[in-house]
Amino acid sequence: MQQIKSKLSSSGGALEAIKDATVAVEEIVAETDQETVSVEIVSNTGVAATLFSMAPGFLSRIMFSLILLFFLVASGDMFLTKTVQSFDRFADKRRAVDVFHSIEERLGYYLGGITFINLGLWGAVAIAMAI
């Protein structure tokens, strides 16, 4: 025990470096407590700069969604089959199939509505350009 104490407490020992670091940190903390500096941040960015800074994240999310949608459509009924197989009870399987069919039906109505809106917009633009 005496040997260990002498090695640890001797100058240049392992604890000496830790002690020096502790003293240095305490001095830094004591200095920062004395004065407080207030900082005012002024942003001169416009709407265009904000939109351009948000564009990469937005576009990457859209690309990810389109790729995921492609693979879901390409898999056909495999996704439905795997989901149904994951349930044990027949009632749960039947409910999963009903939910999938309901989602398909609602997506069909949504895409159909968007298609008609785009056709109407196309017609309005065509008439405006003709005039």
Side-chain angles (χ1 to χ4, degrees):
M1 284 301 274
Q2 290 299 333
Q3 254 183 341
I4 293 173
K5 279 185 180 179
S6 66
K7 285 183 180 180
L8 289 177
S9 63
S10 67
S11 147
L15 291 181
E16 189 70 27
I18 294 173
K19 183 179 175 187
D20 291 342
T22 304
V23 170
V25 168
E26 287 174 354
E27 289 175 2
I28 291 171
V29 170
E31 289 175 6
T32 58
D33 288 341
Q34 293 174 0
E35 67 181 66
T36 303
V37 177
S38 63
V39 177
E40 182 179 338
I41 299 173
V42 178
S43 176
N44 292 332
T45 59
V47 175
T50 304
L51 288 176
F52 283 126
S53 68
M54 293 171 39
F58 182 70
L59 292 176
S60 66
R61 288 185 189 120
I62 288 176
M63 288 302 297
F64 177 75
S65 299
L66 289 175
I67 291 169
L68 180 63
L69 181 63
F70 171 76
F71 282 113
L72 283 175
V73 170
S75 69
D77 288 337
M78 183 182 72
F79 186 67
L80 174 63
T81 305
K82 297 276 186 187
T83 304
V84 169
Q85 288 175 353
S86 69
F87 292 110
D88 293 330
R89 297 182 339 182
F90 180 75
D92 293 336
K93 292 180 181 190
R94 181 68 187 154
R95 185 165 184 242
V97 170
D98 290 341
V99 167
F100 270 94
H101 288 301
S102 174
I103 291 171
E104 286 177 350
E105 182 180 352
R106 290 180 185 183
L107 276 175
Y109 288 144
Y110 172 75
L111 292 175
I114 294 295
T115 301
F116 285 123
I117 289 171
N118 285 332
L119 287 173
L121 180 62
W122 173 78
V125 169
I127 291 170
M129 290 295 115
I131 292 174

